[in-house]
Amino acid sequence: MTTGKKIDRRTVLKAGVAALGSSLSGISWAQSGDTLTMGVLSQQTGTFAYAGDLVLKGAKLAIEERQEAILGKKINLLVRDDEGKPAVGVRRLTEAVSSDKLRYFLGNFSSAVGLAELEVARQEQVIQYAAGGSEDFTGSRCSPYTFQWSAHAYTALRATLEYVSKTLPDKKKIYTITADYAFGQSLLHYTQVAAKELGLQLVGNDNHPSGERQFTQYFTKALSTKPDIICLLTAGADAVTAVRQFNSFGVKNVQIVGPWTLEVEQLRELSPAMRSGMILGLNYYQDIDTPVNKAFVERYLKAYKNVPSYAAAYGYDATRTLFLAMDKAKSVEVAAVMKALEGMQFDSIFGPTSIDARTHQTVRPYYVVQCKAPDAMKNEFDLATIVAQGDKPQPAELNECKRTV
Amino acid sequence: MISLLAAQVLNGLAIGMIYALTAFGLSIIKGLLNVPNFAHGAFYALGAYVCYAALQLGLPFAVALLAAFLVPALVGAAVEKLGVARLMRGPYLYQLLFLFGVALVLEQLIIIIWGTSGLSATAPEWLQGAFDLGFTYLPKYLVFNGCMAAVTIAVVWLMIERTRLGSQIRAGIDKREMAQCLGINVAGLVTTGFALGAGLAGLSGGLVLPLLGANSTMGAEMLSIAFVVLVIGGLGSLYGALAAGILVGLIQSVSSVFAPAASTVLIYVAMVATLMIRPQGLFGER
């Protein structure tokens, strides 16, 4: 027996219109003046697949610290996977700006993708806080809308090689093995600059393609020049393979140096014996002795049962810096925040930090670590000791940024 | 320069033997089934992880290598018996898709069990270090790798050439229907051949573990090289797989002297050149 009213065509239409109306009001609420949309554009696939999730974890901690709101606006955090491809990154960013009103984003961990996104940020007038190793972010392609979190390649190479030349004065001959893309070539350029300044001799270089799995031929070639140091200017899975295969040579008198080569995640892929004694340059290491970093490491450990690394620190510190700039500007408008960021001096995880007003380079230290021997490790996270740090900025005459403040 | 070239030739030979071993297994399966085994890379990865797991359990390296052969061989036998064989009568595409699916499932299982981070294992102590040849250093483990691959290929080759099972496999490859008419259990033969091919891929994975480590994408990387070797050597040709494997290793290694950044691309250039000049491959008959 049916007691309900008969549902006619008009009722269905009315219900449809009502449903559409409520969903539209939902969209307009999400984009209303009470919400600020920020984003993490990173990758879940490819050489830096591990990094995407870590950048997000770091960014989430910074947002939680602010109770998910800034200047009375609720923060809406978007996550987009760029698959490690510049074209995909550009598409995802354009979509996020037009559909979701994205205004600030962290991207990218890969400089090739980040540099492609830089053009979109400029065109759409949204702020990009980038990582990655290419000097172009703050050099030839510097943009009002892009800021760089990672240390400058010059700062990195100078800090690492300065430590090497001080502690190993007899080791003068360096052979480089370089990743053949923007990041690697940028590091190679500044290896040449820093080596010249420090009186070190470059005896040869090989460029290897991204995704290389066979490095023995490069080492055979390198060892034929009788180098004192092999400098790995590569990153990610390629760097892990290179170190593993160098290890199979069992050569004890050649020092492996890796400025920007291996982060904590990749170090763990090597057995302790394989990495023991390596000298590495790092943008971040968990033992940095500053109040902001100590608090960050403690919260990260509690939240994720792990220590933070480069990617997580980038996610946290860049997001936190954006919030500090919003506080300073007393606004979340892009133009005002951009002005606030330029020349801003603040306390970051690195301690006293500033942002170069013209190039938008974050002026911060770069760290040199030495990997511990297996029996010196206190726990599974204790991989290395910070042995030096340096913050020498890129010489002004080498900067190709055409912007004037 | 000559000493550098000599060093790269030795290096290339050692690497090439591993490529040959992997492609040898792929060639046996291609010959018996007439289907390219898209799961071959996954068996290779499985071998590396099984070897790693065995070493973690404290088993000797030799036992770990044996496990790296046996486990993928058993999984291969099951895949053939339960899947490929049942799709034999259907269109060719079904087997192809099935094997592609097996590759994805195996890769995901590896990720579930061992995670996405790469894993490392060191070679036994007696295989660590390098031979100082005066003009170059040659890692002992690389030499061991090349020799192990060469010995395995020789043993399998002798088995195929000299034993009853081998002659049946050859008959299965060359004249399948005729072999069936002569009362040879072709179905069992195909399962055995598939297991052997998968086992050889697994053994390659185990052998390269101290050099390349184990990671979830290693199967796809090796699969593309194994297919290049197969195409250059001639589809289904066992001799071709051996010759082309060494050739690809040499191209990769020697080219690093002149054009390091092009070393990966050059093996594909060699494949295209082979297809243009001799479409059936160096040792292919058709």
Side-chain angles (χ1 to χ4, degrees):
Chain A
M1 194 173 77
T2 55
T3 54
K5 278 194 288 184
K6 193 178 166 190
I7 300 173
D8 60 14
R9 195 164 58 110
R10 188 161 296 181
T11 316
V12 172
L13 275 174
K14 274 183 194 167
V17 170
L20 186 66
S22 68
S23 69
L24 279 178
S25 70
I27 291 171
S28 62
W29 174 83
Q31 292 173 2
S32 74
D34 297 335
T35 308
L36 172 68
T37 303
M38 300 175 81
V40 168
L41 267 82
S42 209
Q43 57 206 87
Q44 266 92 44
T45 47
T47 308
F48 300 106
Y50 72 93
D53 180 48
L54 296 174
V55 178
L56 181 62
K57 280 179 172 166
K60 275 184 176 167
L61 271 193
I63 294 170
E64 278 168 30
E65 234 170 49
R66 296 286 186 140
Q67 279 82 45
E68 303 186 354
I70 180 90
L71 299 173
K73 290 185 189 299
K74 189 171 163 40
I75 295 161
N76 174 32
L77 183 68
L78 293 180
V79 186
R80 296 288 182 266
D81 177 17
D82 58 43
E83 300 167 24
K85 297 169 188 159
V88 179
V90 164
R91 196 171 72 235
R92 298 268 186 267
L93 177 58
T94 312
E95 283 164 5
V97 172
S98 58
S99 315
D100 301 291
K101 304 282 178 255
L102 177 88
R103 287 291 167 265
Y104 299 88
F105 73 98
L106 267 54
N108 192 284
F109 204 68
S110 150
S111 41
V113 185
L115 286 169
E117 290 166 355
L118 175 147
E119 300 304 336
V120 181
R122 188 203 302 264
Q123 201 179 319
E124 301 288 345
Q125 303 185 343
V126 298
I127 287 184
Q128 170 189 31
Y129 218 129
S134 173
E135 62 169 321
D136 293 350
F137 286 106
T138 55
S140 60
R141 291 171 69 179
C142 69
S143 151
Y145 294 93
T146 293
F147 293 80
Q148 168 70 306
W149 182 83
S150 311
H152 193 278
Y154 173 83
T155 309
L157 264 304
R158 174 73 199 207
T160 313
L161 293 184
E162 198 170 278
Y163 173 75
V164 169
S165 88
K166 268 186 195 160
T167 50
L168 305 167
D170 298 336
K171 294 196 181 289
K172 297 277 185 205
K173 288 162 69 182
I174 302 180
Y175 195 99
T176 48
I177 294 175
T178 308
D180 199 11
Y181 49 94
F183 157 78
Q185 294 307 317
S186 191
L187 293 188
L188 178 62
H189 173 60
Y190 286 103
T191 303
Q192 289 156 348
V193 173
K196 199 173 168 192
E197 288 172 357
L198 296 163
L200 300 165
Q201 187 195 352
L202 296 178
V203 292
N205 173 62
D206 277 323
N207 291 333
H208 74 79
S210 175
E212 180 68 276
R213 287 295 164 266
Q214 198 59 52
F215 281 87
T216 48
Q217 66 267 31
Y218 303 120
F219 290 126
T220 313
K221 196 174 161 189
L223 291 173
S224 71
T225 65
K226 309 255 181 253
D228 300 317
I229 292 164
I230 290 183
C231 192
L232 295 175
L233 305 174
T234 183
D238 294 358
V240 174
T241 309
V243 173
R244 201 181 267 136
Q245 290 179 19
F246 180 75
N247 206 262
S248 72
F249 281 81
V251 180
K252 300 289 177 212
N253 59 344
V254 177
Q255 175 70 45
I256 285 283
V257 175
W260 219 308
T261 295
L262 289 159
E263 299 299 330
V264 170
E265 290 80 18
Q266 291 110 33
L267 275 178
R268 287 192 194 139
E269 292 187 23
L270 297 165
S271 64
M274 281 179 185
R275 61 187 182 228
S276 173
M278 268 195 311
I279 295 172
L280 301 174
L282 293 179
N283 268 288
Y284 175 82
Y285 190 65
Q286 74 244 17
D287 291 350
I288 295 169
D289 192 12
T290 65
V292 178
N293 185 54
K294 280 182 171 170
F296 166 55
V297 173
E298 198 176 308
R299 291 195 50 229
Y300 193 92
L301 256 170
K302 199 171 159 197
Y304 306 118
K305 312 283 174 275
N306 204 340
V307 287
S309 59
Y310 176 14
Y314 159 53
Y316 172 78
D317 198 53
T319 309
R320 181 178 176 274
T321 305
L322 287 172
F323 290 151
L324 290 176
M326 288 170 194
D327 287 342
K328 186 182 166 199
K330 298 188 178 58
S331 166
V332 296
E333 291 306 315
V334 165
V337 174
M338 197 165 73
K339 274 273 153 260
L341 280 166
E342 289 177 344
M344 187 167 88
Q345 303 213 345
F346 57 107
D347 236 10
S348 75
I349 51 175
F350 309 113
T353 302
S354 63
I355 293 174
D356 187 292
R358 188 176 69 86
T359 64
H360 288 188
Q361 172 67 51
T362 306
V363 184
R364 32 69 55 98
Y366 192 77
Y367 301 89
V368 185
V369 303
Q370 186 141 28
C371 295
K372 290 190 173 183
D375 53 1
M377 290 170 60
K378 284 183 225 138
N379 54 54
E380 57 167 323
F381 302 130
D382 185 29
L383 307 174
T385 311
I386 297 180
V387 288
Q389 67 180 67
D391 58 3
K392 200 162 194 266
Q394 179 199 29
E397 67 274 16
L398 296 179
N399 187 274
E400 293 176 25
C401 177
K402 300 280 185 282
R403 289 184 68 235
T404 49
V405 179
Chain B
M1 182 51 117
I2 289 175
S3 61
L4 183 58
L5 269 179
Q8 298 299 9
V9 167
L10 288 173
N11 187 61
L13 276 174
I15 298 163
M17 287 311 295
I18 286 293
Y19 293 162
L21 181 63
T22 317
F24 202 64
L26 189 59
S27 201
I28 291 172
I29 295 173
K30 171 72 184 70
L32 282 170
L33 281 175
N34 205 23
V35 170
N37 178 19
F38 275 126
H40 209 65
F43 290 127
Y44 165 81
L46 182 64
Y49 278 98
V50 167
C51 186
Y52 172 82
L55 290 173
Q56 287 297 104
L57 290 173
L59 296 172
F61 194 61
V63 178
L65 284 181
L66 190 66
F69 174 83
L70 286 176
V71 174
L74 286 172
V75 175
V79 163
E80 201 286 327
K81 198 82 194 157
L82 303 175
V84 181
R86 288 162 193 256
L87 298 168
M88 211 66 172
R89 293 185 192 285
Y92 168 80
L93 198 62
Y94 285 6
Q95 292 179 49
L96 212 67
L97 287 174
F98 174 73
L99 286 168
F100 193 63
V102 168
L104 294 176
V105 169
L106 279 177
E107 195 177 299
Q108 283 309 308
L109 281 175
I110 284 172
I111 290 173
I112 290 167
I113 299 170
W114 286 286
T116 48
S117 294
L119 301 168
S120 291
T122 37
E125 211 161 312
W126 62 279
L127 285 174
Q128 288 176 9
F131 294 114
D132 186 353
L133 305 180
F135 60 96
T136 188
Y137 295 93
L138 201 57
K140 286 180 191 168
Y141 191 77
L142 200 62
V143 176
F144 169 77
N145 236 340
C147 292
M148 270 297 289
V151 168
T152 311
I153 290 172
V155 168
V156 175
W157 199 324
L158 279 173
M159 193 267 287
I160 288 173
E161 290 289 332
R162 298 286 162 85
T163 65
R164 187 177 167 79
L165 177 69
S167 60
Q168 287 180 345
I169 287 179
R170 270 185 291 134
I173 290 175
D174 292 339
K175 296 270 187 283
R176 191 189 181 95
E177 286 80 11
M178 182 62 80
Q180 208 148 15
C181 289
L182 290 171
I184 295 172
N185 176 7
V186 174
L189 205 65
V190 171
T191 310
T192 312
F194 199 100
L196 179 64
L200 292 179
L203 179 62
S204 304
L207 278 171
V208 299
L209 177 69
L211 281 177
L212 299 180
N215 66 75
S216 54
T217 58
M218 68 189 293
E221 285 157 12
M222 182 50 110
L223 186 66
S224 58
I225 292 180
F227 270 115
V228 169
V229 171
L230 204 66
V231 170
I232 294 178
L235 295 179
S237 163
L238 301 181
Y239 307 98
L242 176 60
I246 293 172
L247 182 69
V248 166
L250 285 174
I251 290 173
Q252 223 178 28
S253 191
V254 175
S255 65
S256 71
V257 177
F258 308 105
S263 59
T264 308
V265 175
L266 277 176
I267 65 169
Y268 295 101
V269 172
M271 181 178 80
V272 172
T274 310
L275 284 174
M276 286 168 73
I277 299 162
R278 199 176 152 79
Q280 70 272 41
L282 298 178
F283 290 80
E285 285 168 5
R286 283 167 285 147

